[in-house]
Amino acid sequence: MTETKQKRKPRKYTDEFKQQLVDLYHSGRRRCDICREYDIAHSLFDKWVKQAETSGSFHEKDNRPPEQEEVIWLRKENRRR
């Protein structure tokens, strides 16, 4: 008999919460312990750490490379025409 896995509803995290977890990591807490305690995927936590170290912002628009910003801008311009 197979078990059906229930889908988890998407969770939303505040910037303050993300920063608190990144601060825990920078203060010496192990990544695996943080992820286990707060039930966060390792890849998601790694993304937050990278964002905090790169731009200090957890918003996608603040973490895009300039090339990607240009592509988005060009697409918007083409739609206006």
Side-chain angles (χ1 to χ4, degrees):
M1 192 174 214
T2 60
E3 265 184 57
T4 57
K5 206 172 187 181
Q6 289 186 349
K7 262 187 142 176
R8 179 187 290 179
K9 290 183 181 179
R11 296 180 281 178
K12 297 203 180 219
Y13 303 99
T14 65
D15 290 348
E16 292 80 15
F17 176 76
K18 295 173 188 179
Q19 188 61 57
Q20 286 177 342
L21 296 189
V22 170
D23 291 343
L24 282 174
Y25 176 70
H26 284 141
S27 70
R29 288 275 307 268
R30 293 183 338 161
R31 171 182 166 260
C32 61
D33 293 338
I34 294 169
C35 292
R36 187 178 308 117
E37 182 177 342
Y38 293 95
D39 191 27
I40 302 228
H42 291 272
S43 58
L44 179 60
F45 181 71
D46 292 342
K47 178 181 173 182
W48 293 347
V49 171
K50 182 179 178 185
Q51 288 174 332
E53 292 172 350
T54 304
S55 70
S57 172
F58 298 106
H59 301 280
E60 291 298 322
K61 64 181 176 69
D62 297 332
N63 289 287
R64 291 184 192 128
E67 299 82 18
Q68 190 176 7
E69 283 294 328
E70 186 176 355
V71 169
I72 291 169
W73 183 81
L74 289 170
R75 286 181 180 164
K76 286 180 182 177
E77 286 299 307
N78 283 334
R79 281 190 225 142
R80 291 181 186 167
R81 294 179 184 171

